[in-house]
Amino acid sequence: MPVLSLNEDEREAAGRLLTAFFDDYERSIPRRPIFPAIDREVLSGLLTTPFPDQGIGVEGLFRVINQKILPNTTTLSHPRFLAFVTGPGNGIAPYADAIAATINQNCAVWQGGPVASVIEQSVVAWLAGLFGYGDRAGGIVTAGGSMATLDALATMLHARRPQFRQRGLQTADSPLVVYASVEAHWCIDKAAAILGIGLGNVRRVPVDDHYQMRLDALEAMIRADRAAGLEPACVVATPGSVNTGAIDPIATIADVCAQEDLWLHLDAAYGGLFVLSKRLHDAFEACARADSIAVDPHKLLFAPYEAGCLLVRDRTNQTRAFAFSPPIVTVEEDPLIVNYMDYGSQLSRGFKALKIWSALQTFGVEAFTSAIDHTLDLAQYMAELIEAQPDLELLAPVPLTAVCFQIKDASETDHAAALAQLNGEGTAFLNPVRLDGRHGLRACVSNFRTTRNDLDLIVARVAEIARGHQRGGRAYRVRASEDAGNHLIPR
Ligand SMILES: Cc1ncc(COP(=O)(O)O)c(C=O)c1O
């Protein structure tokens, strides 16, 4: 028996322990601490203990995982983990990921996994179809929205500058300029910095009082840049901004891009999959006019990390950027099967598309639409709860599922203390937000497990903290609890 294989008994034990692990975890989610009481001693031990010369075996591994790893994890799937934009993994995903690891396909060239290439194409084509992209569209499953935007801007550079592959941006040509709203995600800055566009050439366009990109400001910036001898190259619009869920006016931005000959990229990492909701369908209609779109199945398709996707309206732009023929691979063309190394930065790639495809197969598209509608309903409900509280106020409209609000008259420090209290006592994990210089709290309801009761609990608790704040004290003392949310202790 090769030393790195499991024998039959070990396989039986691993299967039994893994099934028990999956099952216990799923059952325990609502009772788990949202954020762990970090055990520094255990973490230091994990950091400094040398790997054993003689392995601890399957049972030993599961023991360490249950005793040391699991208690120090954050329960992102908890119904009251409402920070960032965090979709909890769907139920079939752990099994699909285990299958992907078992068959271990290399999705670089089709010979590394012919069916994997077809599954990835089917996922990409389905996503592209949601946005109204046609036959010429292409795309690739990525590690997330930031990576999709990075690859999108790389694609844009190759389309804009035919000599880009050879000469990069090391030319005497005018600097290229990228436009995104002040509310756009900083992955755009990061991509611009990595690709050599330079942060100095990223214009942050002001927003209106709905936090949507202002067209007049965009046009004025483009004019000013042209007048200064720069080359406007790309607008990144955001249908669903990370802070407030604001949907930039895609159709009119697309008109500007058409007039000005600019690439239009949509950072739809958060908002894009709301296209599945009939209520929001119209808001996404103009997406088909974008040159590229970044979406994030690890958000609203509830795939476990990592799963993003880049969609490109004309896939020849993508291959122009990424197709190389390194001498180490010989790849034949086959119209059925795609070599994904030609569509993105990676060569060796895992079979991420399987978990997306498996969930769509297992639950069906309608289940995702319902889950997404459920989060939209809950966000409206939370907004109503906040409006009904005299000491709380909404900071922004709630077009999607991000709810930004503040404790009236509270400072940044007060809000930070409220967050720490909510987290410390196990009520909820929210994040801080700053809008127009105003500080507050942000809850993003992107979990199909969250219920109205969870939101009742959170808003009531924040209102309590706010009343304590108005009285100049604290309404509750904090007790770190293993049993999240069930031990609010009135003073
Ligand atoms: C609008 C937007 N863009 C980009 C990102 C980054 O996505 P990822 O974390 O998948 O890289 C996020 C993350 O929340 C986002 O909301």
Side-chain angles (χ1 to χ4, degrees), residues 85 143-147 185 187 238 240-242 267 269-270 296 298-299:
V85 186
S146 304
M147 293 308 290
H185 194 271
C187 70
T238 306
S241 66
V242 64
D267 176 5
Y270 166 28
D296 243 355
H298 64 206
K299 295 185 167 63

Side-chain angles (χ1 to χ4, degrees), residues 147-442:
M147 293 308 290
T149 284
L150 178 68
D151 281 0
L153 293 193
T155 306
M156 176 277 291
L157 288 174
H158 286 266
R160 185 92 211 171
R161 294 266 167 91
Q163 293 299 311
F164 184 74
R165 175 167 290 188
Q166 200 54 37
R167 300 172 65 195
L169 291 175
Q170 315 273 33
T171 65
D173 295 335
S174 311
L176 301 174
V177 185
V178 173
Y179 304 82
S181 92
V182 290
E183 284 296 313
H185 194 271
W186 52 273
C187 70
I188 297 150
D189 298 317
K190 198 166 178 180
I194 292 169
L195 293 168
I197 294 168
L199 289 183
N201 298 311
V202 178
R203 300 279 174 272
R204 288 300 198 145
V205 184
V207 290
D208 61 19
D209 52 9
H210 282 69
Y211 299 96
Q212 297 170 318
M213 186 188 285
R214 268 181 42 204
L215 259 292
D216 59 327
L218 171 67
E219 289 177 318
M221 282 175 158
I222 293 172
R223 274 197 305 276
D225 284 329
R226 286 208 198 283
L230 306 179
E231 187 179 329
C234 171
V235 178
V236 181
T238 306
S241 66
V242 64
N243 280 336
T244 68
I247 300 172
D248 283 339
I250 308 298
T252 37
I253 293 174
D255 290 341
V256 172
C257 289
Q259 274 155 29
E260 299 281 347
D261 187 26
L262 304 187
W263 183 278
L264 174 58
H265 173 61
L266 302 183
D267 176 5
Y270 166 28
L273 284 156
F274 287 103
V275 71
L276 282 169
S277 173
K278 287 200 175 55
R279 310 174 202 177
L280 285 162
H281 198 264
D282 290 354
F284 291 88
E285 208 164 16
C287 290
R289 296 176 62 192
D291 295 286
S292 54
I293 306 176
V295 286
D296 243 355
H298 64 206
K299 295 185 167 63
L300 289 173
L301 286 182
F302 311 103
Y305 294 107
E306 304 160 344
C309 188
L310 167 64
L311 304 169
V312 180
R313 192 178 55 199
D314 179 349
R315 62 179 171 275
T316 56
N317 283 316
Q318 216 180 340
T319 47
R320 189 180 299 151
F322 295 111
F324 274 72
S325 297
I328 56 160
V329 286
T330 48
V331 183
E332 299 139 39
E333 296 293 327
D334 184 315
L336 180 63
I337 301 168
V338 165
N339 299 305
Y340 273 99
M341 67 173 186
D342 292 343
Y343 288 80
S345 314
Q346 281 179 272
L347 179 59
S348 298
R349 305 170 62 244
F351 191 5
K352 289 192 178 71
L354 185 65
K355 61 190 169 192
I356 305 171
W357 181 89
S358 299
L360 288 165
Q361 294 288 344
T362 305
F363 300 112
V365 175
E366 271 179 26
F368 288 93
T369 306
S370 312
I372 285 170
D373 281 341
H374 173 69
T375 63
L376 285 166
D377 289 340
L378 285 181
Q380 289 308 317
Y381 178 69
M382 186 171 191
E384 285 161 23
L385 290 178
I386 288 164
E387 280 179 319
Q389 289 290 344
D391 297 319
L392 304 180
E393 65 185 359
L394 287 176
L395 281 173
V398 182
L400 297 178
T401 56
V403 184
C404 298
F405 62 107
Q406 68 175 184
I407 298 172
K408 285 181 186 163
D409 305 323
S411 66
E412 182 179 12
T413 315
D414 296 330
H415 282 108
L419 282 178
Q421 178 140 1
L422 291 171
N423 184 22
E425 68 196 13
T427 303
F429 198 105
L430 311 186
N431 60 276
V433 71
R434 198 173 76 173
L435 291 169
D436 276 342
R438 293 176 302 158
H439 293 277
L441 311 177
R442 173 182 169 283

Side-chain angles (χ1 to χ4, degrees), residues 59 66 274 420 434 483:
E59 309 248 358
N66 281 313
F274 287 103
R434 198 173 76 173
D483 200 2

